mmCIF file of all heavy atoms in Angstrom:
data_model
loop_
_atom_site.group_PDB
_atom_site.id
_atom_site.type_symbol
_atom_site.label_atom_id
_atom_site.label_comp_id
_atom_site.label_asym_id
_atom_site.label_seq_id
_atom_site.Cartn_x
_atom_site.Cartn_y
_atom_site.Cartn_z
ATOM 1 N N LEU A 102 -1.785 13.298 -4.654
ATOM 2 C CA LEU A 102 -1.339 12.964 -3.301
ATOM 3 C C LEU A 102 -1.215 14.216 -2.431
ATOM 4 O O LEU A 102 -1.507 14.176 -1.233
ATOM 5 C CB LEU A 102 0.000 12.226 -3.360
ATOM 6 C CG LEU A 102 -0.086 10.789 -3.871
ATOM 7 C CD1 LEU A 102 1.301 10.182 -3.990
ATOM 8 C CD2 LEU A 102 -0.945 9.932 -2.968
ATOM 9 N N HIS A 103 -0.783 15.323 -3.033
ATOM 10 C CA HIS A 103 -0.719 16.573 -2.280
ATOM 11 C C HIS A 103 -2.124 16.996 -1.834
ATOM 12 O O HIS A 103 -2.325 17.435 -0.700
ATOM 13 C CB HIS A 103 -0.085 17.673 -3.139
ATOM 14 C CG HIS A 103 -0.059 19.016 -2.471
ATOM 15 N ND1 HIS A 103 0.768 19.295 -1.404
ATOM 16 C CD2 HIS A 103 -0.769 20.152 -2.707
ATOM 17 C CE1 HIS A 103 0.579 20.539 -1.011
ATOM 18 N NE2 HIS A 103 -0.359 21.088 -1.794
ATOM 19 N N CYS A 104 -3.087 16.839 -2.731
ATOM 20 C CA CYS A 104 -4.465 17.189 -2.402
ATOM 21 C C CYS A 104 -4.990 16.291 -1.278
ATOM 22 O O CYS A 104 -5.636 16.773 -0.336
ATOM 23 C CB CYS A 104 -5.341 17.056 -3.645
ATOM 24 S SG CYS A 104 -7.062 17.522 -3.396
ATOM 25 N N LEU A 105 -4.704 14.997 -1.356
ATOM 26 C CA LEU A 105 -5.146 14.084 -0.302
ATOM 27 C C LEU A 105 -4.498 14.439 1.033
ATOM 28 O O LEU A 105 -5.148 14.380 2.086
ATOM 29 C CB LEU A 105 -4.808 12.635 -0.683
ATOM 30 C CG LEU A 105 -5.661 12.012 -1.789
ATOM 31 C CD1 LEU A 105 -5.077 10.668 -2.212
ATOM 32 C CD2 LEU A 105 -7.104 11.833 -1.319
ATOM 33 N N GLN A 106 -3.226 14.797 0.994
ATOM 34 C CA GLN A 106 -2.556 15.158 2.240
ATOM 35 C C GLN A 106 -3.114 16.451 2.814
ATOM 36 O O GLN A 106 -3.263 16.578 4.032
ATOM 37 C CB GLN A 106 -1.047 15.291 2.038
ATOM 38 C CG GLN A 106 -0.301 15.450 3.364
ATOM 39 C CD GLN A 106 1.196 15.540 3.185
ATOM 40 O OE1 GLN A 106 1.668 15.941 2.141
ATOM 41 N NE2 GLN A 106 1.938 15.171 4.206
ATOM 42 N N VAL A 107 -3.453 17.409 1.947
ATOM 43 C CA VAL A 107 -4.055 18.649 2.432
ATOM 44 C C VAL A 107 -5.418 18.365 3.055
ATOM 45 O O VAL A 107 -5.749 18.877 4.139
ATOM 46 C CB VAL A 107 -4.184 19.668 1.283
ATOM 47 C CG1 VAL A 107 -5.068 20.843 1.708
ATOM 48 C CG2 VAL A 107 -2.808 20.174 0.880
ATOM 49 N N LEU A 108 -6.209 17.533 2.389
ATOM 50 C CA LEU A 108 -7.534 17.208 2.917
ATOM 51 C C LEU A 108 -7.442 16.455 4.243
ATOM 52 O O LEU A 108 -8.344 16.554 5.079
ATOM 53 C CB LEU A 108 -8.312 16.379 1.899
ATOM 54 C CG LEU A 108 -8.693 17.090 0.587
ATOM 55 C CD1 LEU A 108 -9.347 16.122 -0.366
ATOM 56 C CD2 LEU A 108 -9.617 18.272 0.865
ATOM 57 N N LEU A 109 -6.339 15.711 4.420
ATOM 58 C CA LEU A 109 -6.176 14.908 5.640
ATOM 59 C C LEU A 109 -5.054 15.461 6.521
ATOM 60 O O LEU A 109 -4.536 14.735 7.372
ATOM 61 C CB LEU A 109 -5.854 13.454 5.264
ATOM 62 C CG LEU A 109 -6.956 12.697 4.505
ATOM 63 C CD1 LEU A 109 -6.423 11.380 3.965
ATOM 64 C CD2 LEU A 109 -8.157 12.452 5.406
ATOM 65 N N ARG A 110 -4.689 16.742 6.342
ATOM 66 C CA ARG A 110 -3.496 17.243 7.028
ATOM 67 C C ARG A 110 -3.685 17.343 8.531
ATOM 68 O O ARG A 110 -2.711 17.352 9.273
ATOM 69 C CB ARG A 110 -3.092 18.601 6.462
ATOM 70 C CG ARG A 110 -4.107 19.706 6.625
ATOM 71 C CD ARG A 110 -3.572 21.005 6.054
ATOM 72 N NE ARG A 110 -4.590 22.039 5.982
ATOM 73 C CZ ARG A 110 -4.364 23.274 5.564
ATOM 74 N NH1 ARG A 110 -3.136 23.594 5.176
ATOM 75 N NH2 ARG A 110 -5.319 24.162 5.516
ATOM 76 N N ARG A 111 -4.901 17.430 9.011
ATOM 77 C CA ARG A 111 -5.131 17.476 10.461
ATOM 78 C C ARG A 111 -5.256 16.087 11.057
ATOM 79 O O ARG A 111 -5.443 15.936 12.261
ATOM 80 C CB ARG A 111 -6.381 18.301 10.763
ATOM 81 C CG ARG A 111 -6.295 19.730 10.254
ATOM 82 C CD ARG A 111 -7.386 20.608 10.808
ATOM 83 N NE ARG A 111 -7.326 21.952 10.248
ATOM 84 C CZ ARG A 111 -6.507 22.897 10.678
ATOM 85 N NH1 ARG A 111 -5.681 22.646 11.681
ATOM 86 N NH2 ARG A 111 -6.514 24.088 10.114
ATOM 87 N N VAL A 112 -5.155 15.058 10.215
ATOM 88 C CA VAL A 112 -5.195 13.666 10.660
ATOM 89 C C VAL A 112 -3.769 13.135 10.669
ATOM 90 O O VAL A 112 -3.016 13.368 9.716
ATOM 91 C CB VAL A 112 -6.069 12.810 9.716
ATOM 92 C CG1 VAL A 112 -6.129 11.365 10.189
ATOM 93 C CG2 VAL A 112 -7.465 13.412 9.606
ATOM 94 N N PRO A 113 -3.357 12.467 11.737
ATOM 95 C CA PRO A 113 -1.992 11.913 11.774
ATOM 96 C C PRO A 113 -1.721 11.012 10.571
ATOM 97 O O PRO A 113 -2.557 10.199 10.185
ATOM 98 C CB PRO A 113 -1.977 11.116 13.081
ATOM 99 C CG PRO A 113 -3.046 11.735 13.926
ATOM 100 C CD PRO A 113 -4.101 12.196 12.970
ATOM 101 N N GLY A 114 -0.514 11.164 9.983
ATOM 102 C CA GLY A 114 -0.135 10.337 8.844
ATOM 103 C C GLY A 114 -1.013 10.536 7.634
ATOM 104 O O GLY A 114 -1.338 9.576 6.926
ATOM 105 N N GLY A 115 -1.384 11.781 7.355
ATOM 106 C CA GLY A 115 -2.345 12.067 6.302
ATOM 107 C C GLY A 115 -1.952 11.530 4.940
ATOM 108 O O GLY A 115 -2.788 11.000 4.207
ATOM 109 N N LEU A 116 -0.676 11.637 4.567
ATOM 110 C CA LEU A 116 -0.251 11.160 3.252
ATOM 111 C C LEU A 116 -0.331 9.642 3.163
ATOM 112 O O LEU A 116 -0.770 9.093 2.145
ATOM 113 C CB LEU A 116 1.171 11.639 2.963
ATOM 114 C CG LEU A 116 1.742 11.283 1.590
ATOM 115 C CD1 LEU A 116 0.824 11.757 0.479
ATOM 116 C CD2 LEU A 116 3.128 11.895 1.419
ATOM 117 N N ALA A 117 0.073 8.944 4.229
ATOM 118 C CA ALA A 117 -0.036 7.483 4.239
ATOM 119 C C ALA A 117 -1.500 7.050 4.178
ATOM 120 O O ALA A 117 -1.837 6.062 3.520
ATOM 121 C CB ALA A 117 0.631 6.912 5.485
ATOM 122 N N LEU A 118 -2.370 7.790 4.851
ATOM 123 C CA LEU A 118 -3.797 7.485 4.782
ATOM 124 C C LEU A 118 -4.323 7.723 3.375
ATOM 125 O O LEU A 118 -5.156 6.953 2.868
ATOM 126 C CB LEU A 118 -4.568 8.347 5.786
ATOM 127 C CG LEU A 118 -4.257 8.097 7.269
ATOM 128 C CD1 LEU A 118 -5.031 9.075 8.137
ATOM 129 C CD2 LEU A 118 -4.589 6.674 7.660
ATOM 130 N N GLY A 119 -3.830 8.786 2.737
ATOM 131 C CA GLY A 119 -4.227 9.041 1.359
ATOM 132 C C GLY A 119 -3.790 7.924 0.425
ATOM 133 O O GLY A 119 -4.537 7.532 -0.483
ATOM 134 N N VAL A 120 -2.593 7.387 0.651
ATOM 135 C CA VAL A 120 -2.115 6.258 -0.151
ATOM 136 C C VAL A 120 -3.007 5.041 0.063
ATOM 137 O O VAL A 120 -3.313 4.304 -0.880
ATOM 138 C CB VAL A 120 -0.651 5.938 0.205
ATOM 139 C CG1 VAL A 120 -0.221 4.612 -0.420
ATOM 140 C CG2 VAL A 120 0.268 7.058 -0.257
ATOM 141 N N THR A 121 -3.443 4.839 1.311
ATOM 142 C CA THR A 121 -4.334 3.713 1.597
ATOM 143 C C THR A 121 -5.663 3.868 0.867
ATOM 144 O O THR A 121 -6.186 2.906 0.288
ATOM 145 C CB THR A 121 -4.584 3.608 3.116
ATOM 146 O OG1 THR A 121 -3.333 3.479 3.793
ATOM 147 C CG2 THR A 121 -5.460 2.417 3.439
ATOM 148 N N VAL A 122 -6.212 5.085 0.889
ATOM 149 C CA VAL A 122 -7.461 5.338 0.166
ATOM 150 C C VAL A 122 -7.255 5.118 -1.326
ATOM 151 O O VAL A 122 -8.066 4.480 -2.010
ATOM 152 C CB VAL A 122 -7.955 6.768 0.438
ATOM 153 C CG1 VAL A 122 -9.159 7.098 -0.445
ATOM 154 C CG2 VAL A 122 -8.330 6.930 1.908
ATOM 155 N N MET A 123 -6.137 5.638 -1.848
ATOM 156 C CA MET A 123 -5.848 5.465 -3.268
ATOM 157 C C MET A 123 -5.689 3.989 -3.620
ATOM 158 O O MET A 123 -6.212 3.519 -4.640
ATOM 159 C CB MET A 123 -4.581 6.234 -3.645
ATOM 160 C CG MET A 123 -4.185 6.089 -5.107
ATOM 161 S SD MET A 123 -2.648 6.953 -5.482
ATOM 162 C CE MET A 123 -3.202 8.641 -5.330
ATOM 163 N N GLY A 124 -4.984 3.239 -2.773
ATOM 164 C CA GLY A 124 -4.801 1.815 -3.021
ATOM 165 C C GLY A 124 -6.119 1.065 -3.027
ATOM 166 O O GLY A 124 -6.318 0.141 -3.825
ATOM 167 N N THR A 125 -7.022 1.453 -2.134
ATOM 168 C CA THR A 125 -8.326 0.800 -2.080
ATOM 169 C C THR A 125 -9.128 1.068 -3.347
ATOM 170 O O THR A 125 -9.755 0.160 -3.908
ATOM 171 C CB THR A 125 -9.119 1.302 -0.858
ATOM 172 O OG1 THR A 125 -8.348 1.086 0.329
ATOM 173 C CG2 THR A 125 -10.443 0.562 -0.731
#
Side-chain angles (χ1 to χ4, degrees):
L102 287 176
H103 176 71
C104 182
L105 287 171
Q106 189 178 25
V107 168
L108 294 175
L109 296 169
R110 62 179 170 178
R111 301 192 183 279
V112 181
L116 183 54
L118 295 177
V120 169
T121 303
V122 173
M123 179 183 290
T125 304

